[in-house]
Amino acid sequence: MILAVVFANAEGNILIERFHGVPAEERLHWRSFLVKLGSDNLKGVKNEELLVASHKSVYIVYTVLGDVSIYVVGKDEYDELALSEVIFVITSVVKDVCGKPPTERLFLDKYGRICLCLDEIVWKGYLENTEKDRIKRLIRLKPPTEF
Amino acid sequence: MAQPLLKKDDDRDDEGDYSPFLGIEKGSVLQEARVFNDPQIDARRCSQVITKLLYLLNQGDTFTKVEATEAFFAVTKLFQSKDLGLRRMVYLMIKEISPSSDEVIIVTSSLMKDMNSKTDMYRANAIRVLCRIIDGTLLTQIERYLKQAIVDKNPVVASAALVSGIHLLQTNPEIVKRWSNEVQEAVQSRAALVQFHALALLQQIRQNDRLAISKLVTSLTKGTVRSPLAQCLLIRYTSQVIRESGNNTQTGVRPFYDYLESCLRNKSEMVIFEAARAITELNGVTSRELTPAITVLQLFLSSSKPVLRFAAVRTLNKVAMTHAAAVTNCNIDMESLISDQNRSVATLAITTLLKTGNESSVDRLMKQITNFMSDIADEFKIVVVDAIRSLCLKFPLKYRSLMNFLSGILREEGGFEYKKAIVDSIVILIRDIPDAKESGLLHLCEFIEDCEFTYLSTQILHFLGIEGPKTSDPSKFIRYIYNRVHLENPTVRACAVSTLARFAASVDALKPRIFVLLKRCLFDSDDEVRDRATLYLSTLGGDGLVVETDETARDFLFGLFDVPLVNLENSLKNYAPSEESFDINSVPKEVKTHTFVEKKAPGKKQIGLGAPPSGPPSTADAYEKLLSSIPEFGNFGKLFKSSAPVELTEAETEYAVNVVKHVFDSHVVFQYNCTNTIPEQLLEDVVVIVDASEAEEFSEVFSKPLRSLPYDSPGQTFVAFEKPDGLPTVGKFSNVLRFYVKEVDRSTGEAEDDGVEDEYQLEDLEVVAADYMLKVGVSNFRNAWESMGPDCERVEEYGLGPRESLAEAVNTVINLLGMQPCEGTEAVPPNARSHVCVLSGVYIGNVRVLAKVSFGLDGPKDVAMKLAVRSEDETVSDAIHEIVAGG
């Protein structure tokens, strides 16, 4: 299960958070945990360089893209490798939508599109789509090209 | 969490830097949502408003029930628009609001229309939204469409239906299970993602049907799996099948191992990892099977990607717990990871090295760790401390540098859990390594001088009281202890007083000086401290002279209660103050069954400071306890071995009976475990009549019947035999179950008064030579073999005749001897013409036995065997040969 996908800005404010199967009372804890993890480790990290951590039986893969840091949390079958696949899809889609590693402003300008993309990538905690071109078509309700 | 996203510099004119959502407010956005109701829908504007709503929701903002309902109703109006972008937003919005069940009805018709639309993408999205919001009754209505969608030509539609199926399986399993034919078809799809989703769903539908899963795996491992994701799933299911098929070493070849091994050469890293992990996690994996997996993992250790390094080191760390030797090849790569920027990777590397390192590398390793400890978090530090403790127990000669390391980190900053882990480790080292005692205790003394945790201070003081007096110079600890009486809180002070008294009671020479200190404690501000001091001063006796402390006084003060503390606590709670004083003899000594896990296995050290050992009791412990509860078996002596249960009935018969053979020095006890599977019957006075005419050296001494055996609640009956003392006597026994059967009225559950006597024939049972052999492995067979020496060695050659395969012959001999195969030598490589298997065990009379068995194919099927046995007793070596000659 992909437990969470969280986007935060450089100051650690949440831009998007999507939790799956995480009780509401635990979300605050996750938010602050992830933001702290980012502020401790993401300084000086190159765009899209993946970092990894595990907390109890849960895995976290995170990275930075422009002004935005991205965190993906998973457990069981979504271990660090599966999550790196998920985050790869997410970063490539965000880059695609924004045209480059986004500034915070650019990210917020494309907010609606990014939400739609996320909706195509993660479906209630499961990975659904993995190719950016296909996702790009799907959010415009166009069938995939290979079809 | 909806924080205004203010930028650092608000005064800048550059508009481009402001957030488009600056100052966004829920109330005004909901107001804006009224545009959804406009007769002429402005798609662009509506999309913007939905984006704002999403922004609020995605930041953790919540809508009240009324707000959500309003927003939902407004959004549903947008179905009128034909704008594709807006429609896509509407789908997302409905999912995000997740309307309540009474509101769902508003959109279902629109969604159902979309689900049958000619536009594929409408169909896919409508399926996803519907499955998110509907309940069981509605699901049955749309089931037909979903089944069609699973096999839809458009992969997006098929995937949407399949993933919906995965989610619906949680809530409506019986409906989703009906789709298995369609899902099966989708597994064969040419679209990679459809195959992946279909495989996941099919496995979940059939997860309780082992045969089906096995078939699925067999067919897919031979066919083509298109996406790496699906391949990973398949590897997981394959290892599940391998696990469930048990240790089928009959042929020596593990089923599907070749498939896993071939995945190690896959293009995708994910697949390689999954296969490597699956191999390392195989039950009883041999070093031959492990090698290719370890090799690929080793390559990943030096990958430039942190995720791959992490995954590799995490897997190797797990392997090191069970197969440390297999991982040693990776040590050099692992050492370079200690300086890895990613702390998780570094910690895993260190703990792995601590498990696999040899004695000579300890000092170097410790130097590297010291630099590293300062910049990791407490939870990582605890892992390192635990690993160091195990290392120290493994190489006791290295205790000095390891103990110094522990005391060093004890002085540094850290939270309670971390400090406790260090203290626990030092305590264990003191207990297990006598040389480490004095220095360890002094490290602890220094720690309590500046310890902020009351719990740890009191635990250490208590431990000092027990161990301190036994050292060569106990007086050096007194200063540290008495300082606590001055400087600490009452809890620690009281504990320090008790520790001082323990020293006084154990070391006569110190008594006068400690009395002076204890007398000062009489003026303490705390009641408990004063009371303790008074008690000790008056009971230790001698009035401060150098005299031996009275044994009874010492027992009274520091002796162990011979009653369980739980029982004492309960009795004290129940005690009502009265004329009669509390009598400790009235406390029950019997420990309730659920607490009997606290009974330690002999020789097993307690972990940490007074931490109760945990974990369930082993089967052997459980049997021992069961047998010792029967007084007739009391004089049989120590239980040597209990066999695994042997079934005496076929599966699914009226009465299920299996037997466990308990072997004592001069007795054998058969424990018949009986289960009555007929609800309409109650069995009473159940016994097993054993005919031992084919086991002449056994004579029956006792039979314990089972009073009552109701439906589906297993019970035991026992039969005990006497046999020649210490000899591996064998024999064959035939068994008949005899009982009174009573009819049970199923409506009332009551049994009739009259019963009828009946009998039930059971299978025969044999006591064989292997029953006198305990399977006890050795970690290094070569060392054990060399140190046993050739004095009692017996070597003989045997012809085993025609056999199905070499592996089958090896397996037969292992089972015949009942010994533990070591170092994975029970597995015979396919097509091998010869094989050496090494075995270890303990023979009745507690004699260690080692065996080297060399097999060779002699002709096409004939197997020849050379058996070399070493033991501590030559008669035992002979006995092992007799077993083989007789078998």
Side-chain angles (χ1 to χ4, degrees), chain B residues 237-248:
Chain B
Y237 304 152
T238 306
S239 41
Q240 186 190 337
V241 170
I242 297 178
R243 227 182 357 260
E244 283 169 358
S245 67
N247 270 351
N248 182 11

Side-chain angles (χ1 to χ4, degrees), chain A residues 59-99:
Chain A
Y59 305 97
I60 303 135
V61 174
Y62 56 113
T63 189
V64 71
L65 188 68
D67 287 353
V68 181
S69 43
I70 306 170
Y71 307 84
V72 186
V73 184
K75 66 170 183 185
D76 301 331
E77 70 271 34
Y78 285 95
D79 58 11
E80 65 273 18
L81 294 164
L83 290 179
S84 69
E85 203 73 7
V86 176
I87 207 166
F88 172 75
V89 185
I90 293 176
T91 49
S92 51
V93 158
V94 172
K95 263 193 314 185
D96 205 44
V97 170
C98 301

Side-chain angles (χ1 to χ4, degrees), chain B residues 603-728:
Chain B
K604 205 172 162 189
K605 295 286 186 309
Q606 203 172 336
I607 298 165
L609 282 166
S614 55
S618 66
T619 343
D621 285 349
Y623 282 144
E624 208 162 348
K625 194 176 156 53
L626 178 69
L627 293 173
S628 64
S629 69
I630 300 166
E632 283 80 0
F633 303 152
N635 57 357
F636 286 3
K638 192 164 163 34
L639 177 64
F640 175 73
K641 179 182 179 176
S642 301
S643 73
V646 182
E647 295 298 334
L648 297 183
T649 50
E650 308 231 324
E652 292 169 23
T653 46
E654 301 96 306
Y655 314 111
V657 180
N658 66 40
V659 64
V660 178
K661 298 174 267 184
H662 300 291
V663 178
F664 295 83
D665 269 348
S666 52
H667 293 87
V668 174
V669 175
F670 297 144
Q671 171 190 331
Y672 296 91
N673 300 311
C674 315
T675 312
N676 166 13
T677 62
I678 306 174
E680 296 85 6
Q681 286 190 358
L682 168 72
L683 308 190
E684 286 188 346
D685 290 324
V686 184
V687 285
V688 177
I689 309 296
V690 185
D691 173 10
S693 55
E694 286 180 71
E696 288 165 1
E697 287 177 90
F698 290 84
S699 56
E700 186 173 328
V701 287
F702 173 68
S703 169
K704 185 178 189 301
L706 175 62
R707 287 280 154 255
S708 149
L709 184 65
Y711 163 64
D712 205 22
S713 82
Q716 293 103 22
T717 155
F718 299 85
V719 183
F721 285 86
E722 195 166 17
K723 67 169 198 56
D725 189 32
L727 291 183

Side-chain angles (χ1 to χ4, degrees), chain B residues 97-161:
Chain B
I97 303 181
S98 38
S100 59
S101 51
D102 49 335
E103 296 163 357
V104 168
I105 192 78
I106 305 294
V107 276
T108 41
S109 58
S110 304
L111 288 170
M112 300 246 271
K113 199 174 129 210
D114 281 2
M115 209 163 95
N116 292 304
S117 155
K118 286 208 177 75
T119 317
D120 288 343
M121 301 315 291
Y122 277 15
R123 288 215 301 279
N125 279 287
I127 287 171
R128 297 199 295 183
V129 179
L130 265 176
C131 291
R132 173 85 168 245
I133 60 176
I134 56 172
D135 57 10
T137 31
L138 204 51
L139 180 61
T140 29
Q141 286 180 38
I142 61 164
E143 188 189 353
R144 189 159 58 92
Y145 304 115
L146 287 174
K147 278 164 105 171
Q148 274 169 19
I150 289 174
V151 288
D152 197 291
K153 280 196 296 267
N154 186 326
V156 181
V157 178
S159 270

Side-chain angles (χ1 to χ4, degrees), chain B residues 641-874:
Chain B
K641 179 182 179 176
S642 301
S643 73
V646 182
E647 295 298 334
L648 297 183
T649 50
E650 308 231 324
E652 292 169 23
T653 46
E654 301 96 306
Y655 314 111
V657 180
N658 66 40
V659 64
V660 178
K661 298 174 267 184
H662 300 291
V663 178
F664 295 83
D665 269 348
S666 52
H667 293 87
V668 174
V669 175
F670 297 144
Q671 171 190 331
Y672 296 91
N673 300 311
C674 315
T675 312
N676 166 13
T677 62
I678 306 174
E680 296 85 6
Q681 286 190 358
L682 168 72
L683 308 190
E684 286 188 346
D685 290 324
V686 184
V687 285
V688 177
I689 309 296
V690 185
D691 173 10
S693 55
E694 286 180 71
E696 288 165 1
E697 287 177 90
F698 290 84
S699 56
E700 186 173 328
V701 287
F702 173 68
S703 169
K704 185 178 189 301
L706 175 62
R707 287 280 154 255
S708 149
L709 184 65
Y711 163 64
D712 205 22
S713 82
Q716 293 103 22
T717 155
F718 299 85
V719 183
F721 285 86
E722 195 166 17
K723 67 169 198 56
D725 189 32
L727 291 183
T729 323
V730 295
K732 192 171 179 185
F733 303 80
S734 53
N735 309 289
V736 176
L737 193 70
R738 184 177 293 166
F739 46 82
Y740 284 88
V741 58
K742 288 183 174 176
E743 293 290 318
V744 174
D745 183 342
R746 284 189 77 181
S747 54
T748 61
E750 280 176 22
E752 284 175 7
D753 291 339
D754 300 323
V756 187
E757 195 183 30
D758 200 357
E759 281 185 358
Y760 189 81
Q761 183 68 42
L762 304 174
E763 306 265 332
D764 289 350
L765 157 72
E766 275 189 279
V767 171
V768 294
D771 288 325
Y772 298 99
M773 182 70 80
L774 274 180
K775 283 190 174 192
V776 180
V778 286
S779 54
N780 185 332
F781 185 85
R782 198 192 157 96
N783 275 358
W785 181 260
E786 298 296 330
S787 60
M788 187 80 85
D791 302 344
C792 304
E793 180 171 326
R794 290 286 182 277
V795 187
E796 207 76 59
E797 290 185 8
Y798 301 89
L800 302 184
R803 292 279 162 179
E804 208 171 276
S805 68
L806 201 54
E808 187 263 335
V810 173
N811 210 30
T812 310
V813 173
I814 293 173
N815 289 339
L816 180 66
L817 293 175
M819 295 172 78
Q820 176 69 42
C822 303
E823 300 171 3
T825 51
E826 72 274 29
V828 183
N831 303 327
R833 300 280 304 165
S834 65
H835 183 73
V836 178
C837 177
V838 292
L839 306 169
S840 154
V842 171
Y843 198 57
I844 190 161
N846 278 327
V847 185
R848 281 212 73 99
V849 187
L850 300 172
K852 249 189 213 176
V853 205
S854 320
F855 296 86
L857 274 177
D858 187 14
K861 286 279 177 193
D862 282 352
V863 178
M865 172 178 91
K866 180 176 158 192
L867 171 67
V869 181
R870 286 188 182 184
S871 75
E872 292 152 345
D873 183 345
E874 56 188 359

Side-chain angles (χ1 to χ4, degrees), chain B residues 237-489:
Chain B
Y237 304 152
T238 306
S239 41
Q240 186 190 337
V241 170
I242 297 178
R243 227 182 357 260
E244 283 169 358
S245 67
N247 270 351
N248 182 11
T249 46
Q250 287 256 308
T251 54
V253 187
R254 207 189 281 274
F256 300 115
Y257 175 79
D258 288 344
Y259 167 71
L260 293 182
E261 212 246 3
S262 70
C263 289
L264 293 175
R265 294 184 289 276
N266 195 289
K267 272 188 293 197
S268 158
E269 284 154 348
M270 196 179 5
V271 176
I272 300 177
F273 258 107
E274 200 61 49
R277 248 180 220 168
I279 290 176
T280 60
E281 285 165 8
L282 290 174
N283 277 338
V285 62
T286 63
S287 35
R288 189 191 296 265
E289 288 169 327
L290 263 181
T291 314
I294 302 282
T295 313
V296 296
L297 289 173
Q298 187 178 2
L299 289 176
F300 283 121
L301 284 179
S302 40
S303 159
S304 60
K305 298 178 189 166
V307 175
L308 295 185
R309 293 200 301 274
F310 177 83
V313 75
R314 186 164 75 88
T315 312
L316 289 171
N317 185 290
K318 258 195 196 157
V319 180
M321 287 183 197
T322 46
H323 295 81
V327 186
T328 30
N329 282 344
C330 312
N331 278 4
I332 296 177
D333 304 87
M334 206 84 81
E335 277 186 40
S336 57
L337 291 183
I338 295 181
S339 51
D340 197 294
Q341 283 218 318
N342 189 314
R343 301 290 81 184
S344 302
V345 174
T347 314
L348 282 167
I350 282 188
T351 46
T352 315
L353 281 169
L354 289 173
K355 282 176 203 137
T356 59
N358 50 25
E359 199 155 357
S360 57
S361 61
V362 168
D363 290 323
R364 191 162 42 96
L365 210 53
M366 295 317 291
K367 211 173 276 169
Q368 281 175 300
I369 298 177
T370 318
N371 302 330
F372 156 87
M373 284 300 264
S374 52
D375 46 50
I376 54 170
D378 271 11
E379 67 253 33
F380 292 138
K381 289 179 181 168
I382 292 173
V383 179
V384 175
V385 168
D386 288 343
I388 286 177
R389 182 181 61 213
S390 339
L391 183 72
C392 193
L393 294 175
K394 195 162 136 200
F395 303 124
L397 289 177
K398 288 285 169 195
Y399 81 88
R400 214 178 292 273
S401 61
L402 294 168
M403 187 70 103
N404 280 340
F405 176 80
L406 288 176
S407 71
I409 53 174
L410 195 54
R411 279 194 290 271
E412 280 158 21
E413 286 293 300
F416 173 73
E417 290 298 332
Y418 174 45
K419 291 288 163 97
K420 184 167 178 299
I422 305 174
V423 170
D424 281 350
S425 299
I426 295 183
V427 166
I428 289 170
L429 299 186
I430 291 174
R431 279 188 185 153
D432 284 19
I433 307 171
D435 290 343
K437 183 185 277 185
E438 300 235 350
S439 60
L441 287 177
L442 281 173
H443 288 315
L444 291 178
C445 282
E446 271 165 30
F447 172 61
I448 52 171
E449 291 271 78
D450 190 22
C451 170
E452 54 185 313
F453 305 109
T454 300
Y455 174 83
L456 288 181
S457 292
T458 52
Q459 297 286 304
I460 290 174
L461 282 168
H462 177 74
F463 185 66
L464 268 177
I466 298 168
E467 295 294 334
K470 297 180 204 159
T471 56
S472 57
D473 181 13
S475 66
K476 65 183 171 200
F477 300 109
I478 302 296
R479 179 171 65 87
Y480 296 102
I481 302 167
Y482 188 61
N483 277 347
R484 302 299 99 219
V485 180
H486 278 302
L487 303 167
E488 291 282 0
N489 61 43

Side-chain angles (χ1 to χ4, degrees), chain A residues 14 17-18 50 52 59 77 79-81 105 108 111 115 119-120 123-124 127-128 138 141 147, chain B residues 3 16 18-19 55 58-59 88 95-96 120-121 125 128 167 197 236 273 277 306 311 314 342:
Chain A
I14 305 293
E17 59 168 25
R18 293 171 70 90
L50 296 189
V52 59
Y59 305 97
E77 70 271 34
D79 58 11
E80 65 273 18
L81 294 164
R105 166 74 208 224
L108 292 171
Y111 197 85
C115 288
D119 188 46
E120 294 291 350
W123 207 105
K124 275 174 91 182
L127 181 60
E128 188 165 354
L138 292 183
L141 287 180
F147 173 63
Chain B
Q3 293 140 325
Y18 285 104
S19 158
Y55 178 78
N58 276 335
Q59 290 217 311
R88 183 67 188 80
K95 283 193 278 185
E96 290 291 319
D120 288 343
M121 301 315 291
N125 279 287
R128 297 199 295 183
H167 290 290
H197 292 135
R236 282 179 196 174
F273 258 107
R277 248 180 220 168
R314 186 164 75 88
N342 189 314

